[in-house]
mmCIF file of all heavy atoms in Angstrom:
data_model
loop_
_atom_site.group_PDB
_atom_site.id
_atom_site.type_symbol
_atom_site.label_atom_id
_atom_site.label_comp_id
_atom_site.label_asym_id
_atom_site.label_seq_id
_atom_site.Cartn_x
_atom_site.Cartn_y
_atom_site.Cartn_z
ATOM 1 N N GLY R 1 -18.403 43.824 -5.275
ATOM 2 C CA GLY R 1 -18.490 45.276 -5.251
ATOM 3 C C GLY R 1 -19.873 45.821 -4.958
ATOM 4 O O GLY R 1 -20.011 46.977 -4.553
ATOM 5 N N ASP R 2 -20.904 45.010 -5.148
ATOM 6 C CA ASP R 2 -22.274 45.457 -4.898
ATOM 7 C C ASP R 2 -22.722 45.221 -3.462
ATOM 8 O O ASP R 2 -23.837 45.593 -3.085
ATOM 9 C CB ASP R 2 -23.235 44.718 -5.836
ATOM 10 C CG ASP R 2 -23.224 43.206 -5.601
ATOM 11 O OD1 ASP R 2 -22.137 42.662 -5.329
ATOM 12 O OD2 ASP R 2 -24.294 42.587 -5.691
ATOM 13 N N LEU R 3 -21.880 44.601 -2.653
ATOM 14 C CA LEU R 3 -22.274 44.181 -1.307
ATOM 15 C C LEU R 3 -21.685 45.119 -0.257
ATOM 16 O O LEU R 3 -20.468 45.329 -0.226
ATOM 17 C CB LEU R 3 -21.757 42.759 -1.053
ATOM 18 C CG LEU R 3 -22.182 42.081 0.248
ATOM 19 C CD1 LEU R 3 -23.663 41.720 0.212
ATOM 20 C CD2 LEU R 3 -21.330 40.828 0.482
ATOM 21 N N PRO R 4 -22.502 45.695 0.626
ATOM 22 C CA PRO R 4 -21.935 46.446 1.752
ATOM 23 C C PRO R 4 -20.988 45.552 2.539
ATOM 24 O O PRO R 4 -21.375 44.452 2.959
ATOM 25 C CB PRO R 4 -23.172 46.838 2.574
ATOM 26 C CG PRO R 4 -24.297 46.864 1.581
ATOM 27 C CD PRO R 4 -23.981 45.738 0.620
ATOM 28 N N LEU R 5 -19.753 45.988 2.724
ATOM 29 C CA LEU R 5 -18.715 45.137 3.289
ATOM 30 C C LEU R 5 -17.904 45.924 4.306
ATOM 31 O O LEU R 5 -17.458 47.040 4.018
ATOM 32 C CB LEU R 5 -17.829 44.605 2.167
ATOM 33 C CG LEU R 5 -16.918 43.419 2.465
ATOM 34 C CD1 LEU R 5 -16.618 42.656 1.182
ATOM 35 C CD2 LEU R 5 -15.605 43.881 3.095
ATOM 36 N N VAL R 6 -17.712 45.358 5.475
ATOM 37 C CA VAL R 6 -16.969 46.011 6.549
ATOM 38 C C VAL R 6 -15.897 45.058 7.052
ATOM 39 O O VAL R 6 -16.191 43.895 7.368
ATOM 40 C CB VAL R 6 -17.893 46.416 7.719
ATOM 41 C CG1 VAL R 6 -17.091 47.131 8.813
ATOM 42 C CG2 VAL R 6 -19.028 47.299 7.233
ATOM 43 N N GLY R 7 -14.660 45.532 7.110
ATOM 44 C CA GLY R 7 -13.579 44.767 7.700
ATOM 45 C C GLY R 7 -13.192 45.351 9.045
ATOM 46 O O GLY R 7 -13.759 46.352 9.495
ATOM 47 N N VAL R 8 -12.257 44.711 9.704
ATOM 48 C CA VAL R 8 -11.754 45.224 10.981
ATOM 49 C C VAL R 8 -10.243 45.408 10.873
ATOM 50 O O VAL R 8 -9.566 44.692 10.134
ATOM 51 C CB VAL R 8 -12.091 44.287 12.160
ATOM 52 C CG1 VAL R 8 -13.585 44.148 12.327
ATOM 53 C CG2 VAL R 8 -11.452 42.915 11.999
ATOM 54 N N GLU R 9 -9.741 46.368 11.601
ATOM 55 C CA GLU R 9 -8.301 46.577 11.674
ATOM 56 C C GLU R 9 -7.971 47.053 13.074
ATOM 57 O O GLU R 9 -8.838 47.611 13.765
ATOM 58 C CB GLU R 9 -7.821 47.584 10.628
ATOM 59 C CG GLU R 9 -8.361 48.991 10.804
ATOM 60 C CD GLU R 9 -7.870 49.936 9.714
ATOM 61 O OE1 GLU R 9 -7.354 49.459 8.695
ATOM 62 O OE2 GLU R 9 -8.010 51.157 9.911
ATOM 63 N N PRO R 10 -6.744 46.829 13.542
ATOM 64 C CA PRO R 10 -6.383 47.295 14.879
ATOM 65 C C PRO R 10 -6.654 48.783 15.034
ATOM 66 O O PRO R 10 -6.320 49.585 14.150
ATOM 67 C CB PRO R 10 -4.888 46.970 14.967
ATOM 68 C CG PRO R 10 -4.713 45.802 14.046
ATOM 69 C CD PRO R 10 -5.651 46.074 12.903
ATOM 70 N N ALA R 11 -7.252 49.156 16.157
ATOM 71 C CA ALA R 11 -7.756 50.519 16.350
ATOM 72 C C ALA R 11 -6.646 51.473 16.788
ATOM 73 O O ALA R 11 -6.704 52.064 17.876
ATOM 74 C CB ALA R 11 -8.893 50.497 17.356
ATOM 75 N N LEU R 12 -5.657 51.654 15.918
ATOM 76 C CA LEU R 12 -4.532 52.530 16.262
ATOM 77 C C LEU R 12 -4.947 53.988 16.367
ATOM 78 O O LEU R 12 -4.505 54.702 17.278
ATOM 79 C CB LEU R 12 -3.419 52.377 15.215
ATOM 80 C CG LEU R 12 -2.364 51.304 15.480
ATOM 81 C CD1 LEU R 12 -3.006 49.912 15.528
ATOM 82 C CD2 LEU R 12 -1.278 51.332 14.404
ATOM 83 N N LYS R 13 -5.784 54.441 15.455
ATOM 84 C CA LYS R 13 -6.170 55.857 15.464
ATOM 85 C C LYS R 13 -6.973 56.215 16.716
ATOM 86 O O LYS R 13 -6.648 57.209 17.393
ATOM 87 C CB LYS R 13 -6.957 56.194 14.198
ATOM 88 C CG LYS R 13 -7.227 57.685 14.038
ATOM 89 C CD LYS R 13 -7.832 57.982 12.676
ATOM 90 C CE LYS R 13 -8.050 59.485 12.487
ATOM 91 N NZ LYS R 13 -8.627 59.783 11.151
ATOM 92 N N PRO R 14 -8.005 55.442 17.085
ATOM 93 C CA PRO R 14 -8.684 55.744 18.352
ATOM 94 C C PRO R 14 -7.761 55.653 19.558
ATOM 95 O O PRO R 14 -7.902 56.428 20.509
ATOM 96 C CB PRO R 14 -9.793 54.682 18.416
ATOM 97 C CG PRO R 14 -10.021 54.279 17.006
ATOM 98 C CD PRO R 14 -8.678 54.369 16.346
ATOM 99 N N ALA R 15 -6.819 54.716 19.525
ATOM 100 C CA ALA R 15 -5.889 54.584 20.645
ATOM 101 C C ALA R 15 -4.998 55.812 20.767
ATOM 102 O O ALA R 15 -4.748 56.301 21.873
ATOM 103 C CB ALA R 15 -5.039 53.332 20.467
ATOM 104 N N ALA R 16 -4.516 56.318 19.629
ATOM 105 C CA ALA R 16 -3.672 57.513 19.653
ATOM 106 C C ALA R 16 -4.441 58.712 20.195
ATOM 107 O O ALA R 16 -3.890 59.547 20.925
ATOM 108 C CB ALA R 16 -3.146 57.804 18.255
ATOM 109 N N ALA R 17 -5.726 58.803 19.834
ATOM 110 C CA ALA R 17 -6.549 59.904 20.337
ATOM 111 C C ALA R 17 -6.809 59.764 21.831
ATOM 112 O O ALA R 17 -6.889 60.758 22.557
ATOM 113 C CB ALA R 17 -7.868 59.950 19.573
ATOM 114 N N ARG R 18 -6.912 58.531 22.302
ATOM 115 C CA ARG R 18 -7.232 58.275 23.712
ATOM 116 C C ARG R 18 -6.007 58.411 24.620
ATOM 117 O O ARG R 18 -6.104 58.847 25.776
ATOM 118 C CB ARG R 18 -7.815 56.858 23.820
ATOM 119 C CG ARG R 18 -7.809 56.206 25.204
ATOM 120 C CD ARG R 18 -8.694 56.917 26.204
ATOM 121 N NE ARG R 18 -8.719 56.256 27.498
ATOM 122 C CZ ARG R 18 -7.737 56.284 28.397
ATOM 123 N NH1 ARG R 18 -6.604 56.926 28.116
ATOM 124 N NH2 ARG R 18 -7.871 55.686 29.567
ATOM 125 N N SER R 19 -4.824 58.053 24.123
ATOM 126 C CA SER R 19 -3.632 57.964 24.960
ATOM 127 C C SER R 19 -3.127 59.336 25.406
ATOM 128 O O SER R 19 -3.063 60.276 24.612
ATOM 129 C CB SER R 19 -2.518 57.241 24.203
ATOM 130 O OG SER R 19 -1.323 57.233 24.954
ATOM 131 N N THR R 20 -2.737 59.424 26.658
ATOM 132 C CA THR R 20 -2.125 60.642 27.200
ATOM 133 C C THR R 20 -0.605 60.552 27.128
ATOM 134 O O THR R 20 0.078 61.513 26.773
ATOM 135 C CB THR R 20 -2.557 60.860 28.659
ATOM 136 O OG1 THR R 20 -3.980 61.001 28.708
ATOM 137 C CG2 THR R 20 -1.904 62.116 29.234
ATOM 138 N N THR R 21 -0.058 59.372 27.434
ATOM 139 C CA THR R 21 1.392 59.212 27.428
ATOM 140 C C THR R 21 1.940 59.009 26.017
ATOM 141 O O THR R 21 3.149 59.128 25.798
ATOM 142 C CB THR R 21 1.812 57.998 28.281
ATOM 143 O OG1 THR R 21 1.338 56.794 27.655
ATOM 144 C CG2 THR R 21 1.256 58.103 29.692
ATOM 145 N N LYS R 22 1.060 58.678 25.091
ATOM 146 C CA LYS R 22 1.414 58.424 23.680
ATOM 147 C C LYS R 22 2.360 57.229 23.528
ATOM 148 O O LYS R 22 3.136 57.148 22.585
ATOM 149 C CB LYS R 22 2.027 59.678 23.024
ATOM 150 C CG LYS R 22 1.089 60.882 23.035
ATOM 151 C CD LYS R 22 -0.241 60.572 22.360
ATOM 152 C CE LYS R 22 -1.189 61.746 22.392
ATOM 153 N NZ LYS R 22 -2.528 61.425 21.822
ATOM 154 N N ARG R 23 2.254 56.294 24.447
ATOM 155 C CA ARG R 23 2.921 54.997 24.321
ATOM 156 C C ARG R 23 1.830 53.932 24.359
ATOM 157 O O ARG R 23 1.098 53.819 25.349
ATOM 158 C CB ARG R 23 3.958 54.757 25.422
ATOM 159 C CG ARG R 23 5.083 55.763 25.430
ATOM 160 C CD ARG R 23 6.264 55.257 26.263
ATOM 161 N NE ARG R 23 7.067 54.287 25.523
ATOM 162 C CZ ARG R 23 7.575 53.169 26.060
ATOM 163 N NH1 ARG R 23 7.320 52.856 27.315
ATOM 164 N NH2 ARG R 23 8.310 52.358 25.337
ATOM 165 N N ILE R 24 1.718 53.172 23.269
ATOM 166 C CA ILE R 24 0.591 52.271 23.058
ATOM 167 C C ILE R 24 1.117 50.897 22.667
ATOM 168 O O ILE R 24 1.961 50.786 21.772
ATOM 169 C CB ILE R 24 -0.318 52.818 21.932
ATOM 170 C CG1 ILE R 24 -0.906 54.173 22.348
ATOM 171 C CG2 ILE R 24 -1.413 51.823 21.572
ATOM 172 C CD1 ILE R 24 -1.495 54.957 21.193
ATOM 173 N N ALA R 25 0.628 49.861 23.329
ATOM 174 C CA ALA R 25 0.971 48.493 22.957
ATOM 175 C C ALA R 25 -0.109 47.938 22.031
ATOM 176 O O ALA R 25 -1.306 48.099 22.299
ATOM 177 C CB ALA R 25 1.101 47.608 24.190
ATOM 178 N N VAL R 26 0.319 47.313 20.948
ATOM 179 C CA VAL R 26 -0.604 46.716 19.980
ATOM 180 C C VAL R 26 -0.431 45.209 20.036
ATOM 181 O O VAL R 26 0.626 44.677 19.690
ATOM 182 C CB VAL R 26 -0.328 47.230 18.558
ATOM 183 C CG1 VAL R 26 -1.338 46.628 17.574
ATOM 184 C CG2 VAL R 26 -0.377 48.758 18.507
ATOM 185 N N LEU R 27 -1.453 44.509 20.479
ATOM 186 C CA LEU R 27 -1.449 43.060 20.580
ATOM 187 C C LEU R 27 -2.189 42.497 19.374
ATOM 188 O O LEU R 27 -3.345 42.841 19.131
ATOM 189 C CB LEU R 27 -2.145 42.615 21.866
ATOM 190 C CG LEU R 27 -1.681 43.296 23.159
ATOM 191 C CD1 LEU R 27 -2.550 42.844 24.330
ATOM 192 C CD2 LEU R 27 -0.222 42.999 23.435
ATOM 193 N N ALA R 28 -1.545 41.635 18.601
ATOM 194 C CA ALA R 28 -2.162 41.123 17.375
ATOM 195 C C ALA R 28 -1.488 39.830 16.965
ATOM 196 O O ALA R 28 -0.471 39.420 17.546
ATOM 197 C CB ALA R 28 -2.057 42.159 16.250
ATOM 198 N N THR R 29 -2.051 39.175 15.957
ATOM 199 C CA THR R 29 -1.393 37.989 15.414
ATOM 200 C C THR R 29 -0.170 38.415 14.605
ATOM 201 O O THR R 29 -0.076 39.552 14.124
ATOM 202 C CB THR R 29 -2.338 37.184 14.512
ATOM 203 O OG1 THR R 29 -2.624 37.935 13.331
ATOM 204 C CG2 THR R 29 -3.633 36.842 15.233
ATOM 205 N N ARG R 30 0.731 37.505 14.440
ATOM 206 C CA ARG R 30 1.944 37.784 13.666
ATOM 207 C C ARG R 30 1.584 38.136 12.213
ATOM 208 O O ARG R 30 2.189 39.019 11.608
ATOM 209 C CB ARG R 30 2.874 36.574 13.731
ATOM 210 C CG ARG R 30 4.293 36.844 13.287
ATOM 211 C CD ARG R 30 5.177 35.655 13.607
ATOM 212 N NE ARG R 30 5.329 35.450 15.040
ATOM 213 C CZ ARG R 30 6.223 36.086 15.793
ATOM 214 N NH1 ARG R 30 7.054 36.956 15.241
ATOM 215 N NH2 ARG R 30 6.305 35.831 17.096
ATOM 216 N N ALA R 31 0.576 37.459 11.647
ATOM 217 C CA ALA R 31 0.177 37.723 10.268
ATOM 218 C C ALA R 31 -0.379 39.130 10.103
ATOM 219 O O ALA R 31 -0.097 39.810 9.113
ATOM 220 C CB ALA R 31 -0.849 36.694 9.808
ATOM 221 N N THR R 32 -1.174 39.582 11.065
ATOM 222 C CA THR R 32 -1.709 40.950 10.999
ATOM 223 C C THR R 32 -0.584 41.969 11.042
ATOM 224 O O THR R 32 -0.539 42.901 10.234
ATOM 225 C CB THR R 32 -2.698 41.197 12.155
ATOM 226 O OG1 THR R 32 -3.853 40.386 11.960
ATOM 227 C CG2 THR R 32 -3.117 42.655 12.219
ATOM 228 N N LEU R 33 0.331 41.802 11.973
ATOM 229 C CA LEU R 33 1.418 42.778 12.134
ATOM 230 C C LEU R 33 2.363 42.783 10.935
ATOM 231 O O LEU R 33 2.991 43.803 10.646
ATOM 232 C CB LEU R 33 2.198 42.486 13.413
ATOM 233 C CG LEU R 33 1.418 42.647 14.722
ATOM 234 C CD1 LEU R 33 2.294 42.263 15.915
ATOM 235 C CD2 LEU R 33 0.890 44.067 14.884
ATOM 236 N N ALA R 34 2.449 41.665 10.219
ATOM 237 C CA ALA R 34 3.344 41.573 9.053
ATOM 238 C C ALA R 34 2.676 42.018 7.759
ATOM 239 O O ALA R 34 3.345 42.105 6.724
ATOM 240 C CB ALA R 34 3.833 40.137 8.887
ATOM 241 N N SER R 35 1.393 42.336 7.793
ATOM 242 C CA SER R 35 0.657 42.646 6.567
ATOM 243 C C SER R 35 0.959 44.042 6.049
ATOM 244 O O SER R 35 1.276 44.963 6.808
ATOM 245 C CB SER R 35 -0.845 42.511 6.805
ATOM 246 O OG SER R 35 -1.323 43.544 7.644
ATOM 247 N N ALA R 36 0.824 44.211 4.746
ATOM 248 C CA ALA R 36 1.018 45.522 4.121
ATOM 249 C C ALA R 36 -0.039 46.510 4.601
ATOM 250 O O ALA R 36 0.249 47.702 4.770
ATOM 251 C CB ALA R 36 0.964 45.379 2.600
ATOM 252 N N LYS R 37 -1.255 46.029 4.808
ATOM 253 C CA LYS R 37 -2.339 46.901 5.264
ATOM 254 C C LYS R 37 -2.023 47.492 6.635
ATOM 255 O O LYS R 37 -2.194 48.694 6.862
ATOM 256 C CB LYS R 37 -3.661 46.135 5.298
ATOM 257 C CG LYS R 37 -4.881 46.985 5.625
ATOM 258 C CD LYS R 37 -6.152 46.158 5.515
ATOM 259 C CE LYS R 37 -7.381 46.973 5.893
ATOM 260 N NZ LYS R 37 -7.622 48.086 4.962
ATOM 261 N N PHE R 38 -1.527 46.648 7.547
ATOM 262 C CA PHE R 38 -1.167 47.160 8.866
ATOM 263 C C PHE R 38 0.033 48.094 8.768
ATOM 264 O O PHE R 38 0.073 49.127 9.449
ATOM 265 C CB PHE R 38 -0.855 46.017 9.833
ATOM 266 C CG PHE R 38 -0.445 46.516 11.192
ATOM 267 C CD1 PHE R 38 -1.391 46.898 12.105
ATOM 268 C CD2 PHE R 38 0.904 46.658 11.520
ATOM 269 C CE1 PHE R 38 -1.023 47.398 13.356
ATOM 270 C CE2 PHE R 38 1.289 47.162 12.749
ATOM 271 C CZ PHE R 38 0.317 47.525 13.671
ATOM 272 N N ALA R 39 1.013 47.758 7.936
ATOM 273 C CA ALA R 39 2.199 48.609 7.798
ATOM 274 C C ALA R 39 1.816 50.007 7.342
ATOM 275 O O ALA R 39 2.357 51.011 7.837
ATOM 276 C CB ALA R 39 3.181 47.978 6.814
ATOM 277 N N ALA R 40 0.858 50.095 6.418
ATOM 278 C CA ALA R 40 0.418 51.402 5.941
ATOM 279 C C ALA R 40 -0.298 52.178 7.041
ATOM 280 O O ALA R 40 -0.088 53.391 7.211
ATOM 281 C CB ALA R 40 -0.498 51.227 4.727
ATOM 282 N N LEU R 41 -1.146 51.485 7.793
ATOM 283 C CA LEU R 41 -1.847 52.136 8.901
ATOM 284 C C LEU R 41 -0.854 52.632 9.949
ATOM 285 O O LEU R 41 -0.943 53.783 10.410
ATOM 286 C CB LEU R 41 -2.833 51.143 9.525
ATOM 287 C CG LEU R 41 -3.560 51.602 10.789
ATOM 288 C CD1 LEU R 41 -4.488 52.765 10.484
ATOM 289 C CD2 LEU R 41 -4.342 50.433 11.403
ATOM 290 N N HIS R 42 0.085 51.782 10.305
ATOM 291 C CA HIS R 42 1.089 52.138 11.305
ATOM 292 C C HIS R 42 1.901 53.349 10.841
ATOM 293 O O HIS R 42 2.116 54.306 11.602
ATOM 294 C CB HIS R 42 1.997 50.928 11.548
ATOM 295 C CG HIS R 42 2.994 51.128 12.634
ATOM 296 N ND1 HIS R 42 4.142 50.364 12.732
ATOM 297 C CD2 HIS R 42 3.045 51.992 13.669
ATOM 298 C CE1 HIS R 42 4.832 50.753 13.784
ATOM 299 N NE2 HIS R 42 4.192 51.741 14.374
#
C-alpha cells in the first residue's frame, strides 16, 4: 500500500472516445477477457 503502483487494462474507454462507427474489436488473452475486472470495465 505504500508503493506507487500502476497496472494496465485494455483501453476500452479511449477506444470508445476515438471510434466513429462505435464498433470496436478487443484483442486480448482469454484470461483477461474472463476476468471480473475486465467484465466490470466492459
Side-chain angles (χ1 to χ4, degrees):
D2 62 323
L3 186 71
L5 196 155
V6 181
V8 298
E9 64 181 15
L12 270 62
K13 188 172 182 179
R18 161 65 178 75
S19 176
T20 299
T21 67
K22 300 303 179 184
R23 299 196 79 221
I24 297 164
V26 182
L27 310 175
T29 68
R30 195 171 294 276
T32 293
L33 295 177
S35 70
K37 186 175 178 65
F38 178 81
L41 174 66
H42 185 201

